[in-house]
Amino acid sequence: MTDHLVSSGKSQQRGEGHRRRRSDVPFFVVMGGISSCFVLLIILLLLADLRFASIAEFKTALLKPEIQFAFQLTILSCTVAALLSIWVATPLGYLLSRYRFPGRTFIDTIVDIPIVLPPLVLGLSLLILFHQPFFGWEIEKWMRDTVGFPITYRWPAVVLAQFSVACAFAVRTMRVTFDQIDPRAEDVARTLGCSRGQAFLQIAFPQAWRGMIAATTIAWARALGEFGPILVFAGATRMRTEVLSTTVFLELSIGNLDAAVAVSLLMVAMAVVVLVVLRLLGTGLTS
Amino acid sequence: MIEIKDLSLSAGDFSLSHLNFRIESGQYAVLMGKTGRGKTTILESICGLRRVESGTITIYGKNVTNWLPADRDVGYVPQDLALFPTFTVRGHLEFALRLRNWSKPSIADRSQQLAEQLGIRHLLDRKITGLSGGESQRVALGRALSFYPTVLLLDEPLSALDSDTRSEMQDLLKSITKLNEVTTLHITHNQEEAAALADCSFELRDGKVERLTGMSAGKCQ
């Protein structure tokens, strides 16, 4: 009798448990709602730009010789800065990924400094570095008088300012790339007769190409967006050191909002191309 | 011949000290012991991937304790195989030979010969993605044997295989090590595997390598 009561009570409890009362809808509403704020902000920004500029103004702006010069200099300087960055970032990223050595944390932190430093401060630091006399010897003076290749307020300053920031991002990317490549294969290669150098070149390097393209693209995109250090270190001289980010600033400062927006849209288009390239490569950067 | 004398090493949170054992030339030795006791660490120190704290490792009369892995002439098949993702099967078999500047015809001969011994001739031009466990194992074995190493080190080579492939690989290991006249040290925690393969067996117990007596004690010292 008692057993019967207990068992019927249990079955009643079980039956209650079957009632459907849980739903995932609130989860998606809250998470999606918060996430969409940011996505919406970016979309609205782009739409506002598009709505503001007319095609005729866009054409007029892009036909201006100053802006065409700025476009060419931007493409060239970004490409040189990106290539220099990948050249430095590959060995540095590999060393940071593979080895534990004294001072590693210090170097790791130093590499991040250009990422967190205010851009103007970086430009100012570059300017000071090149014009500061070290026991009577000055880099800029030496480059100008002895090497015959002055840097400051010329296009090399643009490249160097872009490189200083872009390279930091490329190093981060290359480090993640090598972290994702299993070092065991390099170890086995060393037992087969490779030196560490051969193991790097023949085993790790061929696996890193996607990461290298991603790092180059990221460096290129960072260089495109660079403004502060260029303004301080290279100046904003039309037809000399003007890149597209400087153009936006210059046009804005003379009240030519239409041209500023047209150039901004051009930069948005360039950034989109870069992002599409990154997505197509499907690197692990977004994962 | 491999001789380990008073070897001390540490890795992570454990250390091994004063290890002593010796495997005669051409012998197939099996080292048993529970997982996580440092068997892999011993293999890595023999092939030079892990620095030893003290003691000596002698291979065919040469004290190689402080030599670079590349100079030791030791073939190593790690447990995770660590195949090269950008190489074809043929690339794996030829890699060590190209590093040793062998002539093109002799490289081709050797890779053909190995592919036949291992039964992977039909796979030579394949990339390693998509190979089965047994096939990958054969490629790793071929890569390690390609340059006629004096010593072959195998780290649990059969643990990830199903029972059919396992017995097939067991036979292959026995025949191919004899064929290539290589002194072999094979790590496992499987008694049957040891009994089937070993000329002599050791056990890593309480931080010491002890020679096992009995049916599979063989000629080890």
Side-chain angles (χ1 to χ4, degrees), chain A residues 182 184-195 198 202-203 206-207 209, chain B residues 44 49 69-70 74 76 78 80 82 84-87 95-96 99-100 143 147:
Chain A
D182 186 8
R184 296 288 295 162
E186 291 148 61
D187 285 346
V188 174
R190 284 167 57 219
T191 69
L192 292 169
C194 277
S195 64
Q198 285 170 317
Q202 299 191 35
I203 307 296
Q207 292 180 67
W209 69 271
Chain B
E44 286 183 345
L49 293 175
V74 170
Y76 176 43
D80 55 2
F84 306 145
T86 54
F87 283 44
F95 184 70
L99 287 169
R100 285 166 177 72
R143 176 180 63 179
F147 57 100

Side-chain angles (χ1 to χ4, degrees), chain A residues 17 24 31 97 114 138 142 173 181 194 197 204 214 218 237 246 266 276 286:
Chain A
D24 286 335
M31 300 297 265
S97 166
E138 191 188 306
W142 179 75
T173 312
I181 294 173
C194 277
I218 285 182
T237 322
T246 331
L266 180 67
V276 168
T286 44

Side-chain angles (χ1 to χ4, degrees), chain B residues 7-215:
Chain B
L7 191 72
S8 299
L9 16 100
S10 65
D13 51 359
F14 74 89
S15 62
L16 295 166
S17 54
H18 305 295
L19 299 173
N20 286 289
F21 63 95
R22 179 187 161 104
I23 304 161
E24 293 302 328
S25 302
Q27 293 271 295
Y28 196 116
V30 169
L31 173 63
M32 287 192 289
K34 287 182 185 151
T35 346
R37 296 289 162 85
K39 301 193 298 292
T40 301
T41 313
I42 296 177
L43 278 202
E44 286 183 345
S45 65
I46 297 176
C47 64
L49 293 175
R50 190 174 290 278
R51 210 187 288 241
V52 304
E53 282 172 0
S54 64
T56 57
I57 300 166
T58 313
I59 295 176
Y60 281 83
K62 283 183 190 138
N63 180 354
V64 300
T65 319
N66 295 315
W67 287 23
L68 289 174
D71 299 330
R72 296 190 185 201
D73 259 352
V74 170
Y76 176 43
V77 180
Q79 192 173 6
D80 55 2
L81 302 182
L83 295 178
F84 306 145
T86 54
F87 283 44
T88 58
V89 170
R90 188 192 302 279
H92 280 82
L93 301 184
E94 294 182 346
F95 184 70
L97 309 179
R98 273 192 268 118
L99 287 169
R100 285 166 177 72
N101 292 323
W102 281 32
S103 71
K104 269 191 181 163
S106 40
I107 291 179
D109 285 351
R110 177 62 178 155
S111 63
Q112 280 296 331
Q113 182 194 26
L114 268 174
E116 263 160 46
Q117 287 175 1
L118 292 159
I120 52 171
R121 231 180 121 174
H122 59 293
L123 300 173
L124 275 175
D125 294 313
R126 282 259 305 267
K127 284 251 175 196
I128 56 150
T129 39
L131 292 184
S132 72
E135 288 166 346
S136 304
Q137 197 67 254
R138 286 161 195 255
V139 175
L141 190 59
R143 176 180 63 179
L145 284 171
S146 60
F147 57 100
Y148 296 108
T150 45
V151 167
L152 177 66
L153 305 174
L154 306 167
D155 193 352
E156 308 231 7
L158 310 177
S159 62
L161 305 176
D162 59 68
S163 58
D164 284 350
T165 324
R166 178 186 285 245
S167 64
E168 214 175 272
M169 276 302 289
Q170 223 160 274
D171 294 341
L172 178 72
L173 279 176
K174 203 157 194 175
S175 64
I176 205 164
T177 46
K178 285 278 171 285
L179 218 53
N180 290 275
E181 296 169 350
V182 62
T183 309
T184 308
L185 177 57
H186 172 138
I187 280 181
T188 181
H189 53 256
N190 186 326
Q191 295 272 2
E192 283 169 35
E193 208 174 293
L197 286 163
D199 290 330
C200 59
S201 23
F202 299 96
E203 185 170 12
L204 182 64
R205 195 189 297 155
D206 305 325
K208 294 259 175 286
V209 174
E210 290 172 12
R211 184 167 66 104
L212 290 180
T213 49
M215 129 186 137

Side-chain angles (χ1 to χ4, degrees), chain A residues 75-103:
Chain A
I75 298 275
L76 274 174
S77 64
C78 288
T79 307
V80 175
L83 291 177
L84 284 175
S85 296
I86 195 65
W87 189 251
V88 173
T90 305
L92 187 50
Y94 186 75
L95 289 177
L96 287 173
S97 166
R98 288 291 185 269
Y99 299 104
R100 303 283 170 269
F101 50 87

Side-chain angles (χ1 to χ4, degrees), chain A residues 217-268:
Chain A
T217 321
I218 285 182
W220 199 92
R222 281 306 311 176
L224 175 73
E226 215 46 65
F227 170 64
I230 298 178
L231 190 70
V232 179
F233 188 44
T237 322
R238 295 226 106 156
M239 307 296 281
R240 228 174 118 82
T241 58
E242 182 185 349
V243 283
L244 287 178
S245 54
T246 331
T247 309
V248 177
F249 171 73
L250 288 176
E251 295 292 348
L252 208 59
S253 62
I254 54 170
N256 194 354
L257 200 55
D258 294 336
V261 173
V263 174
S264 303
L265 280 175
L266 180 67
M267 291 180 79
V268 168

